[in-house]
Amino acid sequence: MKQIILIGLIILVSSSLFGQSTEQTDTLPRVKKQIVSLSYSPMFLSGQLKPLLDDINSYGKFGVIRGEYGVKAVYYGYENSGLFSLAYGRYIHKKIFLTMNLSYQQIWRKWDLYVDANSPHYFTERFHQIQVMPEVRYNYITTKDGSASLFLAAGVGLNHIHNNVGKFGDIISSRKGESLAYQVWLFGFQGKPIENIILHLHLGFGTRGFLEFGLGYRF
């Protein structure tokens, strides 16, 4: 039920976001109202993801799985790529900006697998995280020429994660699941150093991390 509500929210916000015109936009001056951007967040593994990643002794530098005849596997701590986000956004008012974010992160850990007398076999387990999040932003300060602004923002969406266990499914558990995704940006800066090119920086908390920065194009 929770997932149905979240998906309904995403569809509702998306409809507003991707509409070609609204009553509010018709009142704006003829300016470039749309932005596409690519962002990066150097993520740490959040407490929200940990139950989806593992259900055994976890999050140290290494751990051991034992079977009837001794050690079955040794696994090592998680690493991750950070979170990459592709976004499309549109101004619906001179101070209100709606965005749809599609984000991806890869998480991995290495295993020594003792499955026969010639062990170990070395294997890298990979998790793939995909996140969809509509977001609303409020520009509380904007320069007269519109070249820079400070803003607050918040969003809620859906997070999906699954792993690849290769041929070692008898030792490594296959996992996938969905959870709530959310983000609050307490401080945001957007600047336009050259025509149509946007630089932005966000600081806050949530499932997209505490820091995000990127580059966009306004049209």
Side-chain angles (χ1 to χ4, degrees):
M1 184 65 183
K2 182 187 294 184
Q3 294 178 13
I4 294 174
I5 294 173
L6 288 174
I7 292 170
L9 175 64
I10 290 172
I11 293 173
L12 178 62
V13 176
S14 300
S15 299
S16 299
L17 177 61
F18 292 103
Q20 292 299 309
S21 63
T22 63
E23 181 178 351
Q24 292 97 324
T25 57
D26 290 340
T27 65
L28 293 175
R30 295 290 181 176
V31 296
K32 296 174 180 178
K33 305 184 187 74
Q34 302 176 85
I35 298 175
V36 292
S37 62
L38 180 64
S39 306
Y40 177 74
S41 175
M43 291 284 293
F44 295 110
L45 296 183
S46 68
Q48 183 193 46
L49 287 181
K50 288 180 180 180
L52 297 177
L53 289 175
D54 214 343
D55 58 6
I56 55 178
N57 181 30
S58 55
Y59 315 121
K61 292 183 178 180
F62 70 94
V64 177
I65 297 178
R66 298 184 183 276
E68 183 179 356
Y69 302 105
V71 174
K72 294 176 64 176
V74 177
Y75 59 92
Y76 300 89
Y78 292 103
E79 300 179 69
N80 76 94
S81 64
L83 194 73
F84 295 89
S85 298
L86 179 65
Y88 167 76
R90 181 181 178 87
Y91 279 97
I92 63 168
H93 183 273
K94 63 182 179 179
K95 290 184 177 292
I96 305 296
F97 186 72
L98 297 181
T99 308
M100 178 61 73
N101 296 279
L102 177 63
S103 304
Y104 173 78
Q105 178 182 200
Q106 186 176 125
I107 303 163
W108 63 90
R109 63 176 173 177
K110 296 182 179 180
W111 290 79
D112 297 341
L113 299 160
Y114 297 89
V115 295
D116 57 48
N118 299 315
S119 296
H121 294 270
Y122 302 106
F123 177 71
T124 300
E125 178 188 16
R126 299 186 186 278
F127 291 83
H128 304 279
Q129 178 193 355
I130 299 171
Q131 192 177 108
V132 179
M133 182 184 296
E135 194 173 279
V136 60
R137 188 175 88 190
Y138 173 72
N139 294 344
Y140 58 90
I141 296 178
T142 303
T143 58
K144 289 183 178 180
D145 62 359
S147 62
S149 60
L150 299 179
F151 58 85
L152 300 169
V156 63
L158 192 64
N159 188 67
H160 170 80
I161 192 166
H162 68 275
N163 68 333
N164 172 22
V165 299
K167 61 181 181 180
F168 302 109
D170 57 334
I171 297 178
I172 304 172
S173 299
S174 178
R175 298 181 183 87
K176 63 179 180 179
E178 288 75 35
S179 61
L180 177 70
Y182 68 94
Q183 188 67 37
V184 176
W185 298 118
L186 299 175
F187 172 83
F189 168 78
Q190 176 178 288
K192 187 172 69 173
I194 57 178
E195 187 67 23
N196 299 330
I197 301 299
I198 301 295
L199 298 175
H200 59 87
L201 171 70
H202 307 164
L203 298 174
F205 62 91
T207 53
R208 297 235 310 273
F210 69 95
L211 168 66
E212 186 175 272
F213 55 90
L215 185 69
Y217 179 76
R218 187 166 183 168
F219 61 100

